[in-house]
Amino acid sequence: MVERNHMPSSELHKATLDIPSHFPFYFWLDDKTELILVKEGNQLRAFQSICPHMGARLEYDARAKEIKCPWHGLRFCQSTLLSSHERYKKLKEFALETREGKLFIYG
């Protein structure tokens, strides 16, 4: 999880939601940005869920530890969010903070 206290002061609070009970959890941050929330051990992470290539919804594969595009097979490493394709290098990750059963998202 990207901790809020490590984010630049220019990063704005984007959303607050109840911490979901199942993962991966997809949700819309705004009318243009869908995120995927995943749980790795006890840690939560949120990153863009739309492929930067053609706009497909990315699929999360916890066993393979990767995120992939169902349309063209573009793959992103779960831990680094990096792609092997030089044009589509990295998925955007959003900072998270948990307080009193709520999840605060910054970006």
Side-chain angles (χ1 to χ4, degrees):
M1 171 171 30
V2 178
E3 295 290 339
R4 172 69 182 121
N5 57 2
H6 293 99
M7 297 301 292
S9 59
S10 63
E11 295 296 322
L12 300 175
H13 175 247
K14 297 287 187 181
T16 303
L17 60 134
D18 292 329
I19 297 174
S21 59
H22 65 283
F23 298 94
F25 181 77
Y26 292 85
F27 64 99
W28 286 94
L29 188 60
D30 55 39
D31 62 346
K32 297 178 183 174
T33 310
E34 185 186 45
L35 302 184
I36 180 172
L37 182 65
V38 299
K39 190 170 186 178
E40 298 172 353
N42 291 328
Q43 187 174 5
L44 296 175
R45 294 178 73 193
F47 47 86
Q48 76 186 69
S49 68
I50 303 299
C51 182
H53 178 222
M54 292 289 289
R57 181 187 240 191
L58 296 170
E59 296 174 346
Y60 177 71
D61 186 341
R63 281 182 269 144
K65 297 188 177 185
E66 67 183 10
I67 301 103
K68 71 175 191 170
C69 176
W71 291 357
H72 298 100
L74 185 63
R75 296 175 189 278
F76 298 87
C77 174
Q78 172 183 318
S79 61
T80 64
L81 300 180
L82 291 171
S83 168
S84 58
H85 193 289
E86 66 183 54
R87 187 168 178 199
Y88 309 104
K89 293 190 184 272
K90 189 171 183 175
L91 296 176
K92 180 178 179 180
E93 186 164 12
F94 290 76
L96 302 175
E97 179 182 20
T98 55
R99 259 184 301 164
E100 301 172 7
K102 299 283 185 188
L103 183 66
F104 296 82
I105 301 158
Y106 301 87

